[in-house]
């Protein structure tokens, strides 16, 4: 089976009350860990590549790694550009074999976001590629938690119909309280996603696939291993998994996870070197790191996304 777009997987996910995991890939061990997990559980999959990943690993290497995963697993896999920030970057990925791109113009004013998204949609659709757009702004890693400032960055449900209609985008990322990175909420606070906003969006866009970025849960057992083995990540906190599961039962069809894979890999490697300070063969410490990614992805597929057996 060749790489697929997300069209059919989103239709099935929307109707089935589950979501597809979109996991960021940067090297071979990450691609293998993710895709082995999906194969074991017969789950559909989105592998996504950021601008930074493309700069780190090179477009051709990443494409070939993902093509190898398609051959090895036989699963429906979509290859997606994560956070494309220009028409040129989106075009380059479309021309280079991606089946899905995100144009993230969410930091621009509404009309500019529409214009740039529309431009990407026209080119992408002419080439059989689907487009994710974003409305509302996710908090960054450094953002202070301040209710009114936070409120202003949530997606406004009253804007979504016009945005989708005028851009022609195929899915929409919204801001309901998730954020990127490992420090999403202040320690001691009770993290709550604004599922009420999601519900309002769903009412205005029935049947339309919604995307959640910044959806790592930052498992504390991994933070503990990192901190006990020479790391320093105090106060790393993520999104509660039960709230993500709830969102997946609603209109959310794609859930983005990157930081949790980084944590799993880093915890494994830090622990490995604490136990084997004399080792220096990368295969020795990358094998358990790849296993840790596989275990993390299996957990997400079963307990958060609910897409096991849906390939
Ligand atoms: O949302 C961003 C993803 O986690 C990718 O991060 O730009 O460091 O590759 P990156
Ligand atoms: P996390 O940092 O929560 O893993 O989010 C990843 C993401 O949104 C990639 O686009
Ligand atoms: Zn993101």
């Amino acid at each position: 089976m060749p790489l697929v777009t997300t069209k059919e997987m989103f239709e099935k996910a929307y109707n089935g009350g589950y979501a597809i995991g979109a996991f960021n890939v940067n090297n071979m061990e990450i691609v293998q860990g993710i895709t082995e997990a999906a194969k074991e559980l017969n789950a559909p999959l989105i592998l996504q590549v950021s601008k930074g990943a493309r700069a780190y690993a090179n477009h051709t290497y990443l494409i070939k790694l993902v093509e190898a995963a398609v051959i090895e697993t036989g699963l429906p896999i979509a290859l997606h550009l994560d956070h494309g920030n220009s028409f040129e970057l989106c075009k380059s990925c479309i021309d280079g074999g991606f089946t899905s791109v995100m144009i993230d113009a969410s930091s621009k004013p509404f009309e500019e976001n529409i214009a740039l998204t529309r431009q990407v949609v026209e080119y992408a659709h002419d080439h059989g590629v689907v487009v994710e757009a974003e409305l509302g702004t996710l908090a960054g890693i450094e953002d202070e938690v301040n209710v009114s400032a936070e409120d202003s960055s949530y997606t406004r449900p009253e804007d979504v119909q016009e945005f989708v209609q005028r851009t022609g985008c195929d899915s929409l990322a919204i801001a309901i309280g998730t954020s990127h990175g490992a420090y999403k909420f202040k320690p001691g606070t009770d993290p709550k996603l604004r599922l009420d906003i999601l519900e309002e969006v769903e009412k205005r866009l029935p049947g339309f696939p919604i995307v959640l970025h910044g959806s790592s849960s930052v498992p504390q057992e991994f933070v503990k291993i990192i901190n006990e083995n020479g790391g320093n990540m105090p106060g790393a906190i993520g999104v509660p998994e039960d709230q993500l599961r709830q969102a997946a039962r609603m209109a959310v069809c794609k859930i983005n996870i990157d930081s949790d894979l980084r944590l799993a890999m880093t915890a494994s490697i830090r622990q490995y070197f604490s136990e084997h300070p004399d080792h220096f063969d990368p295969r020795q410490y990358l094998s358990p790191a790849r296993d840790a990614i596989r275990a993390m992805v299996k957990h997400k597929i079963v307990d958060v996304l609910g897409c096991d057996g849906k390939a």
Side-chain angles (χ1 to χ4, degrees):
M1 175 185 290
L3 284 168
V4 298
T5 73
T6 52
K7 196 172 170 14
E8 195 182 324
M9 29 174 115
F10 284 170
E11 268 167 27
K12 289 186 186 164
Y14 194 100
N15 295 326
Y18 61 88
I20 316 291
F23 300 100
N24 288 69
V25 295
N26 295 279
N27 67 15
M28 183 187 76
E29 285 77 10
I30 297 174
V31 171
Q32 289 177 330
I34 297 166
T35 56
E36 285 167 10
K39 185 174 168 61
E40 279 182 45
L41 294 167
N42 196 32
L45 198 55
I46 300 168
L47 296 177
Q48 55 186 15
V49 169
S50 69
K51 186 180 175 190
R54 210 162 165 256
Y56 170 76
N58 171 297
H59 179 95
T60 310
Y61 280 95
L62 289 170
I63 281 268
K64 295 299 171 192
L65 285 172
V66 171
E67 283 174 2
V70 169
I71 293 168
E72 286 295 319
T73 63
L75 289 174
I77 297 179
L79 177 56
H80 174 76
L81 168 65
D82 191 26
H83 294 285
N85 62 349
S86 67
F87 175 78
E88 291 70 29
L89 175 57
C90 292
K91 180 179 182 301
S92 167
C93 289
I94 292 164
D95 295 345
F98 283 44
T99 54
S100 174
V101 294
M102 174 190 195
I103 176 68
D104 181 359
S106 60
S107 60
K108 297 184 188 300
F110 189 65
E111 286 299 327
E112 281 179 47
N113 188 350
I114 288 182
L116 181 52
T117 301
R118 179 75 217 157
Q119 188 190 10
V120 172
V121 166
E122 278 169 12
Y123 189 81
H125 285 183
D126 278 351
H127 293 78
V129 169
V130 291
V131 178
E132 173 186 325
E134 180 165 333
L135 199 51
T137 319
L138 260 68
I141 303 167
E142 311 293 340
D143 277 9
E144 284 296 312
V145 179
N146 165 323
V147 174
S148 60
E150 203 187 25
D151 251 339
S152 70
S153 70
Y154 289 139
T155 302
R156 287 159 31 95
E158 53 273 38
D159 291 339
V160 298
Q161 257 173 328
E162 181 186 353
F163 184 84
V164 167
Q165 209 166 32
R166 288 178 61 196
T167 60
C169 65
D170 302 280
S171 60
L172 184 66
I174 62 169
I176 59 167
T178 62
S179 63
H180 291 111
Y183 302 87
K184 299 184 192 297
F185 299 96
K186 271 193 174 157
T189 56
D190 185 18
K192 284 258 184 315
L193 296 185
R194 291 288 304 272
L195 295 175
D196 57 316
I197 296 180
L198 172 60
E199 206 176 328
E200 282 303 314
V201 168
E202 188 174 344
K203 272 188 210 153
R204 288 167 163 89
L205 293 173
F208 193 80
I210 300 301
V211 177
L212 284 189
H213 281 248
S215 296
S216 280
S217 299
V218 189
Q220 291 304 299
E221 63 267 32
F222 290 93
V223 176
K224 189 164 177 276
I225 293 171
I226 289 171
N227 288 338
E228 284 174 356
N229 290 280
N232 184 24
M233 298 188 68
I237 292 174
V239 182
E241 290 187 333
D242 58 327
Q243 294 182 40
L244 293 167
R245 184 72 197 98
Q246 241 177 302
R249 289 198 181 92
M250 299 166 72
V252 169
C253 294
K254 173 175 180 273
I255 294 187
N256 286 12
I257 296 166
D258 185 6
S259 296
D260 281 353
L261 305 189
R262 296 178 180 192
L263 287 167
M265 197 167 194
T266 300
S268 165
I269 292 171
R270 279 197 180 277
Q271 186 164 23
Y272 187 89
F273 279 121
S274 290
E275 290 165 4
H276 307 280
D278 55 326
H279 284 191
F280 64 97
D281 179 344
R283 292 171 298 187
Q284 289 176 320
Y285 58 85
L286 290 176
S287 296
R290 181 173 53 196
D291 292 346
I293 288 182
R294 186 172 57 227
M296 173 68 77
V297 172
K298 282 176 77 171
H299 161 64
K300 297 290 178 185
I301 287 172
V302 173
D303 300 319
V304 179
L305 303 155
C307 63
D308 46 312
K310 308 293 188 187

